[in-house]
Coordinates of all heavy atoms in Angstrom, one line a residue:
W63 N 234.9 82.2 154.0 CA 235.4 81.0 153.3 C 235.8 81.3 151.9 O 236.8 80.9 151.4 CB 234.5 79.8 153.5 CG 234.6 79.2 154.8 CD1 235.7 79.1 155.6 CD2 233.5 78.6 155.6 NE1 235.4 78.4 156.8 CE2 234.0 78.1 156.8 CE3 232.1 78.5 155.3 CZ2 233.2 77.5 157.7 CZ3 231.3 77.8 156.3 CH2 231.9 77.4 157.5
F82 N 237.4 93.0 154.1 CA 236.2 92.5 154.6 C 235.6 93.5 155.6 O 234.4 93.9 155.5 CB 236.4 91.2 155.3 CG 235.3 90.7 156.1 CD1 234.2 90.1 155.6 CD2 235.3 90.8 157.5 CE1 233.1 89.6 156.3 CE2 234.3 90.3 158.3 CZ 233.2 89.7 157.7
Y83 N 236.4 94.0 156.5 CA 235.9 95.0 157.5 C 235.6 96.3 156.9 O 234.6 96.9 157.3 CB 237.0 95.1 158.6 CG 237.1 94.0 159.6 CD1 238.3 93.4 159.9 CD2 235.9 93.4 160.1 CE1 238.4 92.3 160.8 CE2 236.0 92.3 161.0 CZ 237.2 91.8 161.3 OH 237.3 90.7 162.2
L88 N 231.3 100.2 155.6 CA 230.6 101.0 154.7 C 229.1 100.6 154.6 O 228.2 101.5 154.4 CB 231.2 101.0 153.3 CG 232.5 101.7 153.2 CD1 233.2 101.5 151.8 CD2 232.3 103.2 153.3
L109 N 220.2 107.9 174.6 CA 221.3 108.2 173.7 C 222.1 109.4 174.3 O 223.3 109.5 174.2 CB 220.7 108.6 172.3 CG 220.4 107.5 171.3 CD1 219.8 108.0 170.1 CD2 221.7 106.7 171.0
A164 N 232.5 70.8 164.8 CA 233.0 71.9 165.6 C 231.9 73.0 165.8 O 231.8 73.6 166.8 CB 234.2 72.5 164.9
L174 N 224.6 76.4 176.5 CA 225.2 76.2 177.9 C 225.6 77.5 178.5 O 225.5 77.6 179.7 CB 226.4 75.3 177.7 CG 226.2 73.8 177.3 CD1 227.5 73.0 177.2 CD2 225.2 73.1 178.3
G332 N 196.8 102.7 170.1 CA 196.4 101.3 170.0 C 197.2 100.6 168.9 O 197.7 101.2 168.0

Side-chain angles (χ1 to χ4, degrees):
W63 281 324
F82 168 80
Y83 286 132
L88 284 173
L109 277 178
L174 294 177

